[in-house]
C-alpha cells in the first residue's frame, strides 16, 4: 500500500497575525504524529499570477501589508499547488499547510483564511488542461463559502460541502457525493473540527478513516486514483494528528 505524501514547510509554524485558536501548534501536532511514518516534500511559495487566478489585486495587496503573513499564505498556496500536482502524477498527497483557505473568496476573506488554497490549486489544474472537471469534498465543520463562491457558476467543478447532524448520515452523504458525480480528481478540504471532541462534536477517528477510504475507492474507480487533501480547520490538538493519520490511512486504501 503506497503511503500518502506529505507537503510541509517549517515556515507553516510561523506566528503570523491571526486568531489565537488557529495556532502554529495545530500543524506541529500533526507533524509530530506523521514525521516518522511518512515521506515529506517541501513546497515553494506560489507566484502572484497564481493568486490572481482566484483573487482580486486589492485582497492580495491587503495581505501584503504584513510581509510574514503574505509569505506564509503564499507558501500555503504553493503547498496546495504541489499537493494537487503530485496527485495528477499519481501520488496521493496531503497538504499539511496553514493558514487554511476555504473561507477566502475572490475579494474578501474571514475565518482565519487569507488565500483560497484549494480554489487556486484546482483552477490551476483546469487552466493548464490537467483536468476537465474536479470535485471539492469539503468535510470541515464550517461551510466553505470561499471555494463555493469562486466556483458557484461553473460546470467544471463540483463543490460539495457535507453538512449533516450525525455521523452516520455525514458518512452516507460523503458516499453519495462521490458516487453520483463525475470528475478527474478529488480534492478534500480536510477540516477536523467536526471531530467528536472538537467544536462540531460529531465524527470519530474511525469516520475520518472511512471517509478517506471512500475517497480512495471512488478515485480508483473514476479518476485513476487521483486524490489529494488540504488541511482546513481542526482545533482539538490532543487528537488532531491521530485524525489526520486516520484520513491518510483511508486515502491509501487500494481496492
Ligand atoms: Zn472549520
Amino acid at each position: 500500500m503506497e503511503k500518502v505524501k506529505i507537503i510541509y514547510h517549517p515556515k507553516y509554524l510561523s506566528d503570523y497575525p491571526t486568531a489565537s485558536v488557529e495556532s502554529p501548534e495545530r500543524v506541529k501536532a500533526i507533524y509530530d504524529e506523521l514525521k516518522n511514518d511518512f515521506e515529506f516534500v517541501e513546497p515553494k511559495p506560489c507566484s502572484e499570477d497564481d493568486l490572481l487566478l482566484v483573487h482580486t489585486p486589492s485582497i492580495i495587496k491587503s495581505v501584503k501589508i504584513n510581509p510574514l503573513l503574505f509569505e506564509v499564505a503564499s507558501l500555503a498556496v504553493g503547498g496546495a499547488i504541489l499537493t494537487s500536482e503530485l496527485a495528477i502524477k499519481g501520488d496521493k498527497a496531503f497538504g499539511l499547510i496553514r493558514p487554511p483557505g476555504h473561507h477566502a473568496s475572490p475579494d474578501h476573506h474571514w475565518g482565519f483564511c487569507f488565500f483560497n488554497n484549494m480554489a487556486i490549486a484546482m483552477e490551476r489544474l483546469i487552466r493548464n488542461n490537467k483536468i476537465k472537471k474536479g470535485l471539492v469534498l469539503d468535510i470541515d465543520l464550517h461551510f466553505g463559502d470561499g471555494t463555493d463562491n469562486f466556483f458557484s457558476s461553473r460546470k467544471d467543478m463540483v463543490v460539495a460541502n457535507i453538512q449533516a447532524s450525525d455521523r452516520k448520515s455525514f458518512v452516507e452523504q460523503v458516499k453519495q457525493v462521490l458516487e453520483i458525480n463525475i470528475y478527474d480528481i478529488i480534492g478534500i478540504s480536510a477540516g477536523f473540527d467536526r471531530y467528536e471532541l472538537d467544536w462540531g462534536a460529531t465524527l470519530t477517528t474511525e469516520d475520518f478513516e472511512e471517509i478517506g477510504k471512500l475517497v480512495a475507492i471512488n478515485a480508483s474507480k473514476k479518476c485513476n486514483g487521483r486524490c489529494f487533501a488540504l488541511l482546513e480547520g481542526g482545533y482539538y490538538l490532543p487528537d488532531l494528528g491521530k485524525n489526520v493519520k486516520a484520513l491518510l490511512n483511508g486515502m491509501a486504501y487500494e481496492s
Side-chain angles (χ1 to χ4, degrees), residues 6 8-10 12-14 21-38 40 94 96-98 192 198 231 233-246 248:
I6 312 298
Y8 172 77
H9 197 290
Y12 295 145
L13 302 175
S14 304
V21 69
E22 200 286 281
S23 67
E25 283 73 27
R26 301 176 58 239
V27 159
K28 179 77 169 60
I30 301 168
Y31 177 82
D32 285 347
E33 184 76 29
L34 304 180
K35 66 181 173 191
N36 295 325
D37 292 340
F38 289 83
F40 285 71
F94 172 64
L96 175 47
I97 59 178
R98 68 182 275 273
F192 296 86
D198 208 316
L231 181 64
Y235 307 96
Y236 184 72
L237 296 184
D239 294 343
L240 188 53
K242 184 177 82 170
N243 289 335
V244 170
K245 205 180 208 173
L248 303 187

Side-chain angles (χ1 to χ4, degrees), residues 102 140-142 193 233 235:
H102 75 154
D140 193 274
L141 168 64
H142 306 95
D193 39 5
Y235 307 96

Side-chain angles (χ1 to χ4, degrees), residues 48 50-66 69-71 73-74 77 100-117 120 145-147 149-150:
E48 187 130 345
D50 294 328
L51 298 175
L52 286 164
L53 289 172
V54 167
H55 295 292
T56 58
S58 68
I59 197 174
I60 297 169
K61 205 172 147 197
S62 76
V63 178
K64 266 189 185 163
I65 290 169
N66 187 294
L69 174 62
F70 182 74
E71 185 188 5
S74 299
V77 174
H102 75 154
H103 295 305
S105 287
D107 57 356
H108 67 278
H109 56 78
W110 71 288
F112 333 140
C113 298
F114 299 92
F115 299 135
N116 197 313
N117 307 314
I120 295 170
D145 56 319
T147 319
N149 285 339
F150 180 67

Side-chain angles (χ1 to χ4, degrees), residues 15-200:
D15 198 8
Y16 52 78
T18 189
S20 60
V21 69
E22 200 286 281
S23 67
E25 283 73 27
R26 301 176 58 239
V27 159
K28 179 77 169 60
I30 301 168
Y31 177 82
D32 285 347
E33 184 76 29
L34 304 180
K35 66 181 173 191
N36 295 325
D37 292 340
F38 289 83
E39 184 188 333
F40 285 71
V41 187
E42 202 170 282
K44 292 186 169 54
C46 71
S47 70
E48 187 130 345
D49 283 344
D50 294 328
L51 298 175
L52 286 164
L53 289 172
V54 167
H55 295 292
T56 58
S58 68
I59 197 174
I60 297 169
K61 205 172 147 197
S62 76
V63 178
K64 266 189 185 163
I65 290 169
N66 187 294
L68 176 65
L69 174 62
F70 182 74
E71 185 188 5
V72 185
S74 299
L75 253 180
V77 174
I81 289 170
L82 179 58
T83 307
S84 69
E85 283 175 346
L86 285 172
I88 288 288
K89 287 183 195 147
D91 284 329
K92 293 173 182 174
F94 172 64
L96 175 47
I97 59 178
R98 68 182 275 273
H102 75 154
H103 295 305
S105 287
D107 57 356
H108 67 278
H109 56 78
W110 71 288
F112 333 140
C113 298
F114 299 92
F115 299 135
N116 197 313
N117 307 314
M118 178 61 81
I120 295 170
M122 284 294 202
E123 180 66 359
R124 211 167 172 277
L125 293 181
I126 289 173
R127 300 275 189 107
N128 292 337
N129 295 313
K130 302 272 176 71
I131 59 166
K132 288 200 163 54
K133 187 170 182 178
L135 169 68
V136 176
L137 178 71
D138 194 323
I139 59 167
D140 193 274
L141 168 64
H142 306 95
F143 186 86
D145 56 319
T147 319
D148 192 67
N149 285 339
F150 180 67
F151 288 115
S152 62
S153 62
R154 299 264 297 263
K155 293 199 163 46
D156 53 4
M157 191 65 55
V158 177
V159 180
N161 272 274
I162 310 297
Q163 303 283 321
S165 53
D166 67 280
R167 50 184 289 230
K168 200 163 165 276
S169 46
F170 191 91
V171 175
E172 186 52 39
Q173 276 187 35
V174 168
K175 191 163 179 265
Q176 277 179 25
V177 161
L178 291 166
E179 285 176 358
I180 62 173
N181 288 291
I182 46 164
Y183 39 78
D184 305 319
I185 197 165
I186 304 166
I188 312 173
S189 262
F192 296 86
D193 39 5
R194 201 176 277 277
Y195 177 52
E196 58 184 346
L197 300 177
D198 208 316
W199 300 336

